[in-house]
Amino acid sequence: MKIFIGSDHAGFALKSELMTYLTKSGYDIEDIGAKSLDPEDDYPQFAYLAVTKVLGSDDHDPRAILVCGSGQGMAIAANRFSGIRASVIWDEAEARETREDNDSNVLCLPSRVLRDQDANEIVDTWLKTNFSNAGRHKRRIAQLDEL
């Protein structure tokens, strides 16, 4: 599984912590930015870079993790692209549900809400939970792709 990870200035510190954690856990990650802390940067550019990487990847299950202050801006930007199912997640139960029911391929985290340990547990759950493949969920995802 290839994981593209990005953040704006508000999520920069948490992204850095997650990158260390994911690397130690053996995941194949690519930092799409921000590469340095810039208080004037804007989240849409990083969401765009991540989702275009996910959509263009040859990996069998590419995913992205995006971090900003609330998670909401990244999710709004990411969800503008067909084939992207971005979810803002605050806990492990939501992480599990968004994978099982929605086949979420972009995880958006709110850096102003989460501590590093909470974020690690959410990411672990999200990465290790499989899509249920239930007919009703597949039907709904197909409907989303037609919007």
Side-chain angles (χ1 to χ4, degrees):
M1 172 188 316
K2 180 74 174 185
I3 303 167
F4 304 98
I5 187 167
S7 72
D8 66 359
H9 60 279
F12 188 79
L14 181 56
K15 180 193 77 163
S16 298
E17 292 296 323
L18 285 170
M19 286 178 53
T20 299
Y21 178 74
L22 290 166
T23 300
K24 286 181 181 178
S25 298
Y27 287 101
D28 180 13
I29 63 169
E30 181 180 332
D31 181 4
I32 56 92
K35 304 285 183 165
S36 62
L37 182 59
D38 176 2
E40 297 300 317
D41 66 14
D42 298 314
Y43 61 83
Q45 64 185 319
F46 303 112
Y48 172 79
L49 290 170
V51 300
T52 55
K53 291 275 192 175
V54 167
L55 293 171
S57 178
D58 292 333
D59 190 85
H60 76 284
D61 187 18
R63 303 209 201 150
I65 299 171
L66 297 171
V67 189
C68 66
S70 68
Q72 301 294 347
M74 287 290 199
I76 290 167
N79 278 321
R80 291 183 176 262
F81 294 82
S82 181
I84 295 298
R85 293 168 304 281
S87 301
V88 180
I89 300 299
W90 287 275
D91 63 34
E92 289 179 83
E94 290 177 339
R96 186 174 300 103
E97 187 172 328
T98 196
R99 284 290 308 135
E100 288 175 347
D101 294 357
N102 308 116
D103 198 17
S104 169
N105 54 6
V106 178
L107 174 65
C108 300
L109 297 174
S111 66
R112 292 185 184 121
V113 174
L114 297 175
R115 297 178 317 214
D116 294 347
Q117 184 60 36
D118 294 335
N120 293 346
E121 292 169 0
I122 289 166
V123 167
D124 274 343
T125 299
W126 186 74
L127 291 172
K128 293 176 181 175
T129 301
N130 293 318
F131 176 52
S132 69
N133 265 322
R136 69 185 184 281
H137 298 309
K138 290 167 67 173
R139 181 181 69 246
R140 293 168 186 157
I141 290 169
Q143 291 172 12
L144 287 172
D145 289 341
E146 291 174 9
L147 293 177

